[in-house]
Amino acid sequence: MLENRIKSIIRDVPDFPKPGILFKDITPLLHQHELSKDIVKALSEEWREKQVHAIAGIESRGFIYGMSMAQEMGLPFIPVRKAGKLPYKTYTHAYELEYGSAEIEIHVDAVEQGMNVLIHDDLLATGGTAEAAASLIKKAGGCVSGFSFLVELSFLKGKKLLRTHSNEISALVTY
Ligand code: AMP
């Protein structure tokens, strides 16, 4: 089963980036090309029948499988970046973190009006990051068709926050 194969390869790193956090390190998956191919297929398959016009991947781990999904599905890929990284004119969205705040950006021409955008990241924790990406897509004139994750930490209840944008939320692996 794909979920068990993925779980057996993800590396748990305790107390990173700070004490008390058990970090789910996906980089060992990237060494396994057959498994990574199966991951991209499974991530894409979830959305095959749905109205998706583009994939937005969240910096930086959301770029890895997000871009591969876009290729697999024959769709444009939109990088959602941390503030100050994109060279052209941007839309910006500021959001609150546990300590302080952060800003994310996309290029002003990345989203066409009314475009259905699927948001992808490696992992759903509290949902704050993906929620911010959804707000940014809407600010740019897009619609949120759903959320795609490799991993969901279900005990943090991030889905609840994301349901304000879409009920279509998928993850290949749940803890
Ligand atoms: P959140 O906004 O709380 O849903 O956090 C999601 C973002 O933080 C994603 O971009 C993840 O890559 C990262 N993240 C949060 N918690 C973890 C964790 N335990 N292991 C790996 N990445 C995490």
Side-chain angles (χ1 to χ4, degrees):
M1 189 192 170
L2 185 61
E3 178 165 14
N4 292 339
R5 285 167 68 205
I6 296 170
K7 280 184 170 172
S8 72
I9 305 293
I10 285 178
R11 172 168 51 200
D12 286 354
V13 182
D15 300 319
F16 183 87
K18 54 186 182 188
I21 304 284
L22 182 62
F23 195 86
K24 297 289 180 189
D25 178 15
I26 66 157
T27 61
L29 294 171
L30 310 179
H31 285 253
Q32 312 250 345
H33 62 92
E34 286 300 337
L35 177 56
S36 283
K37 266 191 212 165
D38 292 344
I39 287 170
V40 172
K41 278 205 187 104
L43 285 168
S44 306
E45 199 52 48
E46 298 273 350
W47 306 92
R48 188 95 42 207
E49 305 296 318
K50 313 241 165 77
Q51 281 287 316
V52 178
H53 302 139
I55 313 270
I58 303 176
E59 182 170 352
S60 55
R61 286 182 297 275
F63 294 172
I64 299 170
Y65 290 117
M67 179 64 199
S68 296
M69 282 175 78
Q71 293 270 288
E72 172 79 14
M73 296 167 79
L75 296 174
F77 178 76
I78 302 167
V80 176
R81 300 217 57 183
K82 289 166 187 153
K85 303 280 186 186
L86 289 169
Y88 187 57
K89 285 175 274 180
T90 56
Y91 289 112
T92 302
H93 180 72
Y95 63 105
E96 298 303 314
L97 297 172
E98 199 179 340
Y99 302 103
S101 61
E103 280 184 341
I104 50 172
E105 295 183 333
I106 52 172
H107 275 146
V108 289
D109 56 0
V111 175
E112 288 163 26
Q113 295 306 300
M115 199 182 218
N116 288 326
V117 181
L118 173 63
I119 292 165
H120 170 79
D121 202 358
D122 68 324
L123 183 140
L124 171 63
T126 64
T129 309
E131 195 283 324
S135 297
L136 181 60
I137 294 299
K138 285 182 172 171
K139 198 180 268 185
C143 305
V144 176
S145 50
F147 297 90
S148 152
F149 302 95
L150 185 57
V151 178
E152 180 197 355
L153 303 182
S154 57
F155 53 91
L156 293 175
K157 312 222 181 298
K159 273 186 174 172
K160 194 165 173 239
L161 189 59
L162 301 186
R163 285 198 187 99
T164 56
H165 294 284
S166 172
N167 287 318
E168 300 283 352
I169 307 167
S170 76
L172 292 188
V173 169
T174 305
Y175 292 94

